[in-house]
Amino acid sequence: MRKWRMYRGKPAIIQNIESWVDAQKKFLEYVSKSEKELENADRLSLVIASRAACAQISRTIKGFDAWLQNPLIIGLMPPEMIKEVQEKLWAIMKELTEFDIQHTAKYGEHLKKVLEQGKIIPPIPLEEGEEEEEQRQRLTYMR
């Protein structure tokens, strides 16, 4: 067991780091086990899995953001580690943004086809106080 000078037991920051890493490893194990089940998943399961991915990405990014705002962390982090974080986060940012552009454009094209084919159910009748133009702009579920 390590002896931490000036501390009784492990400092809280070390415990927090170890807890974060353990939680991330457990999540990754869960994801790895779940991937096989997603091969033949229905639409709802795929949506739920995608939302879980978004939540995890968001949680991790918020963790990095908090990490990089902490003077204790960045003050002690070697420059090469900061550079590694910056480069990796920029690569992730670019890849995610490129995917967003590609996916959103592809979905826009799909939606145009669906609209042209008349596969969108007409909007629900006007709700009280709702403008007709707003009503027309709202899309409902597909047939």
Side-chain angles (χ1 to χ4, degrees):
M1 181 171 239
R2 292 196 169 159
K3 293 183 181 178
W4 304 96
R5 294 181 192 155
M6 304 160 67
Y7 298 99
R8 291 185 188 160
K10 282 185 195 173
I13 191 167
I14 299 296
Q15 290 176 358
N16 291 343
I17 290 170
E18 289 174 352
S19 293
W20 176 268
V21 170
D22 288 343
Q24 293 290 71
K25 285 179 180 179
K26 285 178 185 169
F27 184 82
L28 203 50
E29 286 174 27
Y30 167 76
V31 167
S32 295
K33 290 177 185 175
S34 299
E35 281 180 317
K36 183 74 175 159
E37 294 177 29
L38 291 173
E39 289 176 11
N40 298 311
D42 61 11
R43 191 189 328 222
L44 179 59
S45 296
L46 294 173
V47 168
I48 291 169
S50 297
R51 292 200 64 219
C54 286
Q56 176 63 13
I57 291 167
S58 179
R59 180 177 176 265
T60 301
I61 293 301
K62 285 178 183 175
F64 267 113
D65 190 40
W67 186 259
L68 295 170
Q69 290 182 46
N70 186 329
L72 176 63
I73 301 297
I74 60 174
L76 297 174
M77 189 180 293
E80 51 279 352
M81 285 182 80
I82 295 172
K83 182 70 174 164
E84 177 186 28
V85 168
Q86 179 272 314
E87 288 174 349
K88 187 65 174 182
L89 289 176
W90 273 65
I92 292 167
M93 173 190 65
K94 287 169 46 179
E95 182 178 348
L96 186 58
T97 303
E98 288 167 359
F99 174 71
D100 180 37
I101 292 166
Q102 174 194 14
H103 174 75
T104 305
K106 187 176 178 180
Y107 183 76
E109 292 303 314
H110 169 74
L111 190 56
K112 286 176 191 175
K113 285 181 193 175
V114 170
L115 287 167
E116 288 170 3
Q117 295 169 354
K119 291 186 177 180
I120 300 289
I121 294 175
I124 299 168
L126 284 174
E127 295 176 14
E128 193 173 319
E130 187 174 27
E131 298 293 325
E132 284 189 43
E133 183 59 28
E134 288 177 29
Q135 174 81 34
R136 277 185 286 235
Q137 294 298 321
R138 183 170 26 132
L139 295 176
T140 57
Y141 59 90
M142 296 172 48
R143 293 182 187 170

